[in-house]
Amino acid sequence: MSEASSKAVIEIENLDLVFQTADTPVHALADIDLTVNAGDFVSFIGPSGCGKTTLMRVIADLEKPTGGHISVNGMTPEEARQKRAYGYVFQAPALYPWRTVEKNIRLPLEIMGLSGDEQKARAARNLAMVNLEGFEKKFPWQLSGGMQQRVSIARALSVEPDLLLMDEPFGALDEITRDHLNEQLLNLWDTTKKTVIFVTHSIPEAVFLSSKIVVMSPRPGKIIDIIESSLPRVRNLDIRETPEFLEISHRVREGLRSGHSYDD
Amino acid sequence: MTDAVQPQVIPSWRRLYDGKVIPVATVLIALLILWLAGAVYMNSPQLIDQYKRGNVEWTFGKLVRDSWSMERPILPAPQQIVVELDKTVLDKKITSKRSLVYHAWVTLSSTLLGFAFGTILGILLAVGIVHIQTLDRSLMPWIIASQTVPILAIAPMIIVVLGNIGLTGLVPKALISMYLCFFPITIGMVKGLRSPDVLQLDLMKTYSASAAQVFWKLRIPASIPFLFTSLKVAIAISLVGAIVAELPTGAIEGLGARLLAGSYYGQTIQIWSALTVASLLGMLLVWAVALSEKLVLSRMGGQAA
């Protein structure tokens, strides 16, 4: 499946996660097997409740699995988190409203104990990366939703992680903004050679962005299909009209259907 | 997508019309009329009695004028209080025992000291309650119970007990203020320190931030709007605490002592001017807290609680 040269960043075997709720236990993840290699762009796609966000939270050590094995960079997720192995972009921007844009980006850097000059340089560099130069002194409420989400991406990038975890980062945005940010994200992935894990429930978004698409289904959350994309690494939005793109989209849709995602 | 939100500019006449000035002034005028009428109503039985005994011919106009200028009226007219204030605030040296500025200063210093004590105690309790689960369950009921004790009843005992162990003057009064004003601060700060949402806390976890970093970089800034809301309540009741502490303890200084002395000698005008000064002091204190709130919150991006 993977090239001999690429290194496995995340290895998951037989992973299980059961939430103990008040009435009945909820089987959130069952029998997950997945390998993510360095430089991959992996999308988790599936309907609500299929465990795609939960799986990503397990990788980030925000949830503990109840069975199976998982390693991140060859360590446990907890060790990887403590070494700040990843940057996490949440569904909402989660900016701190009392901090300016620049101060928000500097938050993780302050926590890491970097020097003031280094913080400033990294904030400027990553704001430029998401095309937000000149907005340093603005407060979050002065920005549109799309700009806020770009700030949160710049904040995740400023940690300079090799692994970027993105949980439906563009879910709340309109389609035009989303297309634009998707292109920027692909460009960023291509230039920085980072490993990206991306949660989405949009088939075109998953197919457009990913080098590997993980199709999931609910109750219990499990992997139905893993699709290696045949699309070239560098793409633009026009690629969505090509037969290959439609073929991969079709396979994703078939996977979702076989997982009974369209049943109810 | 690239333009930032700009605050709207509103002309000043429009703000006056939409704002509070006209409604507040209307209520003020209505209150003054009610007050003047009330003074006539309450003082006239005594006056009519006097007229009868002295066989004085009287008209309604004379009754009104007299009821607004009695030496010991049941309800003094506002202008009598203004004259009294002019005498005791502007005419006296501020170090004189007869100056209301002097007495206000005495009350103000124990108000502020008690407010400082109460703020520190309130914040410390809140920090403990938020971070240590045992404290949440063991302290919270006591904190709530403490406010059900009628402070007027135990204030003299506190003063006597503290006097016996050598604590007199400012500190016992401040302790009573503290007792009243730590409560809203604890409640507000507990709410504020718990206000960060799951996402904001998860974010800190992904940075593998220490508990101290979560506290200083997330919980404290998130609690500031809650703190100021509490401080505005606390400063007002801290003043109440200071005045209450001066009432039953035979204090000879402070606005509370003036109230008590006034009631001993039936000096209603003196009572009312002390009350007026106390109200003005309360407004001034709340305004000062509100102003610092505005300054601090505008530096923090203008968020509201």
Side-chain angles (χ1 to χ4, degrees):
Chain A
M1 237 164 75
S2 59
E3 295 163 45
S5 59
S6 24
K7 194 170 113 260
V9 176
I10 295 164
E11 289 176 296
I12 302 174
E13 286 162 28
N14 286 325
L15 190 94
D16 261 292
L17 176 61
V18 180
F19 285 118
Q20 293 300 339
T21 58
D23 35 341
T24 47
V26 175
H27 213 152
L29 294 171
D31 269 336
I32 304 289
D33 284 292
L34 180 68
T35 305
V36 176
N37 293 318
D40 272 352
F41 195 121
V42 180
S43 287
F44 297 166
I45 186 167
S48 309
C50 73
K52 51 194 193 299
T53 294
T54 309
L55 181 56
M56 186 133 100
R57 288 176 63 89
V58 169
I59 295 169
D61 187 41
L62 296 174
E63 306 286 353
K64 300 278 186 210
T66 47
H69 175 78
I70 172 170
S71 72
V72 178
N73 286 342
M75 297 170 273
T76 66
E78 188 175 2
E79 288 165 342
R81 176 175 64 81
Q82 280 161 2
K83 294 207 163 134
R84 301 183 178 105
Y86 62 82
Y88 201 112
V89 180
F90 291 91
Q91 280 179 28
L95 301 175
Y96 288 4
W98 54 86
R99 284 175 169 252
T100 60
V101 165
E102 189 195 354
K103 285 279 190 182
N104 262 292
I105 295 177
R106 289 171 67 161
L107 173 70
L109 312 177
E110 286 171 21
I111 289 167
M112 290 160 72
L114 299 183
S115 72
D117 287 347
E118 176 67 15
Q119 289 176 23
K120 225 179 161 56
R122 283 200 191 185
R125 198 160 63 228
N126 288 291
L127 266 180
M129 189 99 82
V130 295
N131 289 333
L132 280 177
E133 302 106 315
F135 288 90
E136 287 84 354
K137 300 285 172 255
K138 297 278 185 207
F139 282 98
W141 65 269
Q142 295 171 300
L143 307 184
S144 68
M147 291 161 89
Q148 289 184 20
Q149 195 55 281
R150 268 146 67 195
V151 174
S152 88
I153 292 169
R155 182 181 57 189
L157 292 173
S158 70
V159 180
E160 299 188 351
D162 292 328
L163 175 61
L164 201 54
L165 306 176
M166 307 179 87
D167 182 6
E168 290 188 43
F170 311 136
L173 306 180
D174 64 89
E175 194 155 344
I176 300 164
T177 311
R178 182 190 267 224
D179 281 350
H180 178 64
L181 291 181
N182 278 342
E183 271 194 313
Q184 283 189 326
L185 180 59
L186 260 189
N187 190 27
L188 184 93
W189 172 62
D190 189 49
T191 50
T192 58
K193 311 285 182 231
K194 286 183 194 308
T195 312
V196 181
I197 300 182
F198 191 92
V199 167
T200 180
H201 51 228
S202 153
I203 296 173
E205 190 173 59
V207 178
F208 177 63
L209 291 172
S210 317
S211 64
K212 186 191 264 188
I213 301 160
V214 176
V215 184
M216 298 180 72
S217 78
R219 290 179 294 273
K222 57 181 181 296
I223 295 176
I224 296 286
D225 194 7
I226 298 178
I227 303 163
E228 299 279 344
S229 177
S230 54
L231 298 176
R233 199 178 155 95
V234 181
R235 343 174 158 168
N236 58 40
L237 287 168
D238 295 336
I239 207 167
R240 295 191 295 194
E241 320 291 331
T242 64
E244 289 112 302
F245 187 93
L246 296 174
E247 198 180 304
I248 298 170
S249 303
H250 180 72
R251 197 174 148 192
V252 173
R253 203 167 286 114
E254 282 302 306
L256 291 172
R257 186 169 292 134
S258 76
H260 306 291
S261 296
Y262 298 129
D263 278 3
D264 39 24
Chain B
M1 201 186 117
T2 42
D3 57 344
V5 183
Q6 290 296 327
Q8 236 182 319
V9 183
I10 304 160
S12 55
W13 63 267
R14 182 83 211 169
R15 249 181 315 186
L16 189 74
Y17 185 78
D18 288 342
K20 296 181 196 153
V21 177
I22 289 171
V24 168
T26 311
V27 173
L28 187 70
I29 290 166
L31 281 177
L32 276 177
I33 291 169
L34 259 178
W35 189 351
L36 287 167
V40 175
Y41 177 76
M42 297 194 65
N43 299 335
S44 50
Q46 206 185 337
L47 282 171
I48 292 171
D49 216 36
Q50 277 179 26
Y51 294 152
K52 275 185 184 156
R53 265 184 283 152
N55 272 331
V56 183
E57 286 283 312
W58 59 278
T59 58
F60 183 67
K62 179 175 164 59
L63 180 70
V64 168
R65 272 192 304 278
D66 285 351
S67 64
W68 288 348
S69 55
M70 289 169 74
E71 203 185 319
R72 291 182 184 184
I74 293 175
L75 179 63
Q79 64 269 25
Q80 289 180 288
I81 296 166
V82 172
V83 170
E84 171 77 7
L85 284 176
D86 180 55
K87 256 193 335 207
T88 51
V89 173
L90 300 178
D91 279 359
K92 297 279 183 305
K93 276 204 334 200
I94 54 166
T95 48
S96 154
K97 289 267 159 76
R98 289 176 162 271
S99 160
L100 269 180
V101 177
Y102 170 77
H103 291 285
W105 168 251
V106 170
T107 304
L108 177 68
S109 35
S110 74
T111 300
L112 290 178
L113 188 64
F115 178 66
F117 285 167
T119 304
I120 293 166
L121 178 68
I123 292 175
L124 287 181
L125 283 172
V127 170
I129 284 167
V130 167
H131 284 90
I132 305 166
Q133 227 190 358
T134 338
L135 289 184
D136 186 12
R137 277 178 295 164
S138 59
L139 274 184
M140 215 46 184
W142 286 106
I143 288 171
I144 292 164
S146 75
Q147 300 304 303
T148 63
V149 176
I151 188 66
L152 198 61
I154 58 164
M157 273 175 288
I158 293 176
I159 303 282
V160 168
V161 169
L162 290 175
N164 266 331
I165 59 169
L167 266 180
T168 52
L170 196 59
V171 175
K173 290 198 292 176
L175 286 178
I176 288 168
S177 283
M178 175 191 84
Y179 186 92
L180 281 180
C181 83
F182 86 92
F183 181 73
I185 292 173
T186 301
I187 299 296
M189 274 305 271
V190 166
K191 207 171 164 208
L193 291 171
R194 284 186 177 150
S195 67
D197 59 31
V198 180
L199 217 55
Q200 291 175 324
L201 286 163
D202 274 349
L203 188 71
M204 278 296 189
K205 202 175 171 195
T206 69
Y207 302 145
S208 153
S210 67
Q213 285 168 329
V214 174
F215 181 75
W216 290 110
K217 292 188 189 299
L218 175 57
R219 291 194 189 276
I220 286 288
S223 72
I224 296 299
F226 293 85
L227 176 65
F228 274 108
T229 307
S230 300
L231 288 180
K232 276 187 279 187
V233 178
I235 192 108
I237 57 180
S238 181
L239 177 64
V240 172
I243 291 173
V244 164
E246 286 162 352
L247 281 179
T249 53
I252 47 163
E253 299 175 327
L255 293 174
R258 284 290 278 196
L259 288 176
L260 198 66
S263 77
Y264 278 155
Y265 304 114
Q267 296 284 359
T268 41
I269 298 177
Q270 183 190 323
I271 297 178
W272 280 85
S273 28
L275 281 177
T276 307
V277 169
S279 316
L280 289 175
L281 193 58
M283 278 191 254
L284 194 75
L285 289 170
V286 173
W287 173 81
V289 175
L291 185 71
S292 47
E293 175 185 34
K294 223 174 172 173
L295 289 175
V296 170
L297 291 192
S298 75
R299 292 203 55 183
M300 292 178 66
Q303 52 167 352

